[in-house]
Amino acid sequence: MKRIYSILAAVVVLLTCMSRETYAQTGATCDDAIYVDGEYTANFAAGEYWFMALTSALPMTIKCYPSNPGAKAPQIQVDFTCTYENGKAVYDDPKVAKMVMNAAQYELTLPMTKTLTMQMDDNGKPYYSYTFPKNYQNMLYGQGVTYAIPAYVKLKVFGTTSAEIVSEAVSSRCRDYVNTLGMNTTLLISPEDSVNTYVWPLGEWLKHNYEMTWTGTGRLFFYTSKDCEFDKESAKVRDIFILPNDQVKITSAKASDWIDDIFQTELYVRMYPESEGYFKIATYEEKDNITQYVVGGVPASIDNENMTISAILPAGTDRNAAIAKAQYRPTKTHNGQTAEYNSSYTKLTFGKLVYDLTGIVVAQKAGDTNAALKSISVEGLDLPDFSRYTLDYFDIEVAEGKIPTVAATPVKETSAVDIKQATAVPGTATITITAEAGNTQVYTVSFIRQRSRDNTLSALYVDGKLVEGFQRDNYHYRMQVMSLPTITATLNDPKATMVIDQPKRVPGFGQVIVTAESGQVEVYTVNFVLDPAVKQCSNTVEQMNASQTYTLNAGNTIMRVPVSEWGGKNAVFTWTGQQDLDIDVMSTCLNEDGVTFANLDVTMHKGETVRHCYLSTTQTLTWRRQGIDGYVYLLFKPKETAEVSIAPFAPTCYTRSTLIDLPSQNQLPANGFNISYSFYLPEWQKKDVKITWTGASTLELFIADTCDFLLQ
């Protein structure tokens, strides 16, 4: 295709030649990478650009459409870090570092560099593409990285290029209309809420043990699936739990196994209660560790974080024999493990845990070796949760302006105690105990300023109105609404913070997650259901079927279309009237304020004989969110009697391009390289036409008889 600077031999193009800065320049460094969440499209001049996406978005495809197909093929570099030292990648997460070391067994190397391969689309237009394969997920999950981590991609293009990045993950498709179940949340649900779908974020909760409970007069059927679009009759159902019959306790190991199996970091849930009740997700502790260890009559110090056991045995003690006969007490939740020692008695294996025993030594001189404390007090009050086996105490709070005084009492009167008091807050007091035998032990108490524990709201609003019956200590609400609601809230304590998860659909729920200054979390949940008037109204409204004509008389008429059929699809309205047709698109068929979320004009386009309104997939995708009862409602406002219809259509140059009228003044967007414009030729015939460009950069004008043309 030749570059042309004339239109019908009568167009003069005036260009202002300035610096060429018409393409996106973001993502110039890895630290400033462009975040890709589901879909991303932009145009780039020749150069290098960084992108970042979470591995939960895999599989993901990148496509490049160069303006000059003869240019060198684009290249990509992929890694799981932005940090490099002396040319080597640095991975903060040890599991990720291990994964990278073992990448070769998955036929991958990191960082990976690849030249994109050329392909042809259905119109014979060349493009370059690469899909991040299943190997990546095999490598991630196979090496224990069963949670989402950032992946960085450097794209190098050698000429003006349009780039498209699209996630094929279920989570990207479902995120706009499915709410996430929150940890430590209670939901008040009833049988009518069975239409709701929730995200169960296995990957986010992987470091927690949690259980699900149900309190109601009947049972709760808990269904899971890899996809958000399912019900209890669907072949997509994966697991079924019946509460309270089934005990649903999820450990990190169980969640990790699920993720390995489904190659996703989330499941989708639908719940079918037989009656109204409370569904609760709560964390619990299940530690299989040792809480007390007495060796040779000496209570040992146990550090279950660093997995060490230490003690000073009396002089002359047979160390190994004493360890072999040691008495220990495990946590109550242990699974029946017994301690096993290695031959040198330097390691103790307890279930999956391995303790280091090298800290158990024999004193060098006679005398009592007990260097433990009986108690620690702060300002005369005993330290909460004190244990002689716990040496370090963190975040002990003291009042503003107070410097605390610490006192301590040793277990043995023969032990000497030396206390170095904290001199400021935050600060640390150090307690050194010297036993009669000369061995020492050090306890530390770290202080911080007293923090607020208030994690409550002073007010909770829905669509600007205070929730009826709101109380600070009531965390569960249920409301009838007529449209998609918006939650706002006010904190009771300004030192607290909150995150609001808005409802994605109705029926559905929203949450306000409040975190106190001290870290305690409380969750307010509002479960939204449709006002019965919505359903009553909907049952009286006629449904439009695809490609079927309907006669409208002058005046207002409401009809409905199902979201499942049209949401995210290309749709065209056709109107046979002599005047334009005005259409309001509404969330419900009730004539309430705020339910209209779009307005459409069915008009006569250049060169057409019938009035049309073309809707792209992006426009109808909003219907999935706004159609709160599964439908969107169309308020037709005809001024005459004529026929209307809705039908799917395949985009063409006619529907994909933007018409430029004559005469007119148009503002062209920066980086609009992939936007095409059309001219209605009959209006341009036998006329002298001047095109003037007033931008601060160069405009290049290309003309063709198709919108899928290539620039050479």
Side-chain angles (χ1 to χ4, degrees), residues 544-550 565-566 572 574 644-649:
M544 292 188 74
N545 297 317
S547 303
Q548 182 175 330
T549 59
Y550 299 87
E565 183 175 348
W566 296 101
V572 57
T574 302
V644 67
S645 64
I646 183 174
F649 77 94

Side-chain angles (χ1 to χ4, degrees), residues 124-378:
K125 181 179 179 180
Y127 66 94
Y128 296 88
S129 176
Y130 179 74
T131 298
F132 298 94
K134 190 176 180 180
N135 301 42
Y136 277 100
Q137 289 179 324
N138 285 338
M139 179 178 66
L140 288 162
Y141 300 155
Q143 298 297 321
V145 186
T146 51
Y147 42 90
I149 61 173
Y152 299 90
V153 178
K154 180 172 70 173
L155 171 66
K156 186 174 184 179
V157 293
F158 299 92
T160 304
T161 300
S162 173
E164 296 178 4
I165 305 176
V166 179
S167 169
E168 300 171 34
V170 174
S171 58
S172 296
R173 170 167 52 85
C174 296
R175 70 180 185 275
D176 287 336
Y177 63 97
V178 177
N179 277 87
T180 301
L181 288 171
M183 181 69 79
N184 295 321
T185 292
T186 300
L187 287 176
L188 175 59
I189 60 177
S190 70
E192 63 187 289
D193 299 327
S194 299
V195 298
N196 295 346
T197 305
Y198 311 96
V199 176
W200 185 0
L202 297 175
E204 290 182 23
W205 299 354
L206 198 60
K207 295 182 180 179
H208 302 279
N209 296 323
Y210 54 97
E211 59 185 341
M212 303 182 187
T213 57
W214 166 250
T215 305
T217 56
R219 296 172 297 176
L220 175 72
F221 294 85
F222 187 95
Y223 289 76
T224 73
S225 173
K226 291 174 59 177
D227 198 304
C228 57
E229 296 178 337
F230 80 106
D231 58 32
K232 63 182 179 180
E233 307 298 335
S234 171
K236 296 179 180 179
V237 170
R238 175 181 171 80
D239 302 292
I240 303 175
F241 301 106
I242 303 174
L243 303 175
N245 305 51
D246 296 336
Q247 185 184 45
V248 185
K249 282 194 170 185
I250 312 299
T251 63
S252 292
K254 185 173 184 178
S256 182
D257 288 343
W258 276 346
I259 294 172
D260 288 343
D261 182 41
I262 66 177
F263 279 96
Q264 289 180 199
T265 55
E266 65 283 314
L267 276 172
Y268 294 87
V269 171
R270 292 189 71 171
M271 291 180 278
Y272 297 85
E274 292 181 335
S275 62
E276 185 174 274
Y278 290 93
F279 170 74
K280 184 177 182 180
I281 303 174
T283 55
Y284 69 92
E285 294 293 327
E286 188 170 271
K287 297 180 179 178
D288 295 327
N289 54 27
I290 294 175
T291 58
Q292 187 173 343
Y293 191 87
V294 180
V295 53
V298 178
S301 297
I302 304 168
D303 186 337
N304 279 305
E305 183 174 350
N306 296 311
M307 303 304 295
T308 60
I309 299 177
S310 56
I312 306 295
L313 304 180
T317 301
D318 185 332
R319 175 187 179 278
N320 291 357
I323 294 176
K325 296 178 181 179
Q327 297 176 329
Y328 60 90
R329 179 180 298 171
T331 55
K332 294 181 180 179
T333 57
H334 79 105
N335 297 323
Q337 296 97 328
T338 58
E340 298 178 359
Y341 300 98
N342 62 353
S343 58
S344 60
Y345 288 91
T346 56
K347 299 290 182 184
L348 180 156
T349 302
F350 184 74
K352 295 182 179 180
L353 306 179
V354 179
Y355 289 85
D356 186 332
L357 303 182
T358 55
I360 300 178
V361 298
V362 178
Q364 297 299 310
K365 66 178 182 178
D368 194 284
T369 60
N370 194 326
L373 288 179
K374 182 189 297 184
S375 66
I376 298 177
S377 63
V378 178

Side-chain angles (χ1 to χ4, degrees), residues 562-567 569 630:
V563 172
S564 59
E565 183 175 348
W566 296 101
K569 308 290 178 59

Side-chain angles (χ1 to χ4, degrees), residues 6-13 606 659-664 666 677-691 701 703:
S6 62
I7 299 178
L8 303 180
V11 179
V12 178
V13 179
K606 299 288 186 181
L659 180 69
I660 295 182
D661 276 326
L662 178 69
S664 68
N666 301 276
Y677 299 88
S678 59
F679 304 96
Y680 185 56
L681 292 179
E683 289 189 352
W684 292 60
Q685 288 180 322
K686 300 180 180 179
K687 295 179 180 178
D688 293 328
V689 179
K690 180 172 71 173
I691 298 178
L701 180 65
I703 301 174

Side-chain angles (χ1 to χ4, degrees), residues 643-656:
E643 292 182 338
V644 67
S645 64
I646 183 174
F649 77 94
T652 64
C653 287
Y654 181 79
T655 59
R656 286 166 49 190

Side-chain angles (χ1 to χ4, degrees), residues 478-644:
R478 187 178 183 84
M479 293 184 62
Q480 293 181 348
V481 293
M482 294 183 176
S483 60
L484 187 67
T486 300
I487 296 176
T488 54
T490 304
L491 291 168
N492 196 58
D493 183 350
K495 296 186 183 69
T497 58
M498 67 177 171
V499 175
I500 300 179
D501 185 16
Q502 299 290 351
K504 300 293 195 303
R505 65 194 309 180
V506 177
F509 72 97
Q511 294 180 314
V512 182
I513 305 166
V514 185
T515 303
E517 184 188 21
S518 55
Q520 290 92 339
V521 177
E522 190 60 74
V523 181
Y524 291 80
T525 303
V526 186
N527 212 352
F528 296 101
V529 295
L530 281 175
D531 189 302
V534 175
K535 184 175 293 186
Q536 294 168 8
C537 178
S538 180
N539 291 336
T540 65
V541 173
E542 185 177 4
Q543 180 170 314
M544 292 188 74
N545 297 317
S547 303
Q548 182 175 330
T549 59
Y550 299 87
T551 301
L552 302 180
N553 296 317
N556 291 352
T557 300
I558 297 179
M559 301 184 74
R560 71 182 190 185
V561 293
V563 172
S564 59
E565 183 175 348
W566 296 101
K569 308 290 178 59
N570 292 299
V572 57
F573 286 98
T574 302
W575 171 244
T576 61
Q578 298 301 308
Q579 302 180 67
D580 293 348
L581 175 64
D582 183 31
I583 307 175
D584 283 343
V585 188
M586 306 184 299
S587 296
T588 74
C589 53
L590 300 174
N591 188 19
E592 296 288 337
D593 293 338
V595 296
T596 298
F597 64 89
N599 179 263
L600 308 175
D601 289 316
V602 188
T603 61
M604 186 80 77
H605 292 249
K606 299 288 186 181
E608 291 192 334
T609 58
V610 179
R611 285 170 167 76
H612 293 99
C613 178
Y614 298 93
L615 300 180
S616 67
T617 56
T618 302
Q619 291 172 287
T620 60
L621 188 62
T622 60
W623 293 5
R624 302 184 73 167
R625 178 177 172 85
Q626 299 290 346
I628 59 175
D629 64 343
Y631 299 93
V632 292
Y633 296 84
L634 307 171
L635 175 59
F636 297 103
K637 303 175 182 178
K639 299 176 182 178
E640 59 190 313
T641 299
E643 292 182 338
V644 67

Side-chain angles (χ1 to χ4, degrees), residues 46 64-75 115-116 118 128 155-161:
C64 293
Y65 294 85
S67 60
N68 180 5
K72 188 177 178 181
Q75 296 176 349
T115 300
L116 303 190
M118 180 184 285
Y128 296 88
L155 171 66
K156 186 174 184 179
V157 293
F158 299 92
T160 304
T161 300

Side-chain angles (χ1 to χ4, degrees), residues 56-79:
S56 56
L58 294 175
M60 183 172 279
T61 298
I62 181 169
K63 293 182 179 180
C64 293
Y65 294 85
S67 60
N68 180 5
K72 188 177 178 181
Q75 296 176 349
I76 58 172
Q77 176 184 310
V78 183
D79 208 342

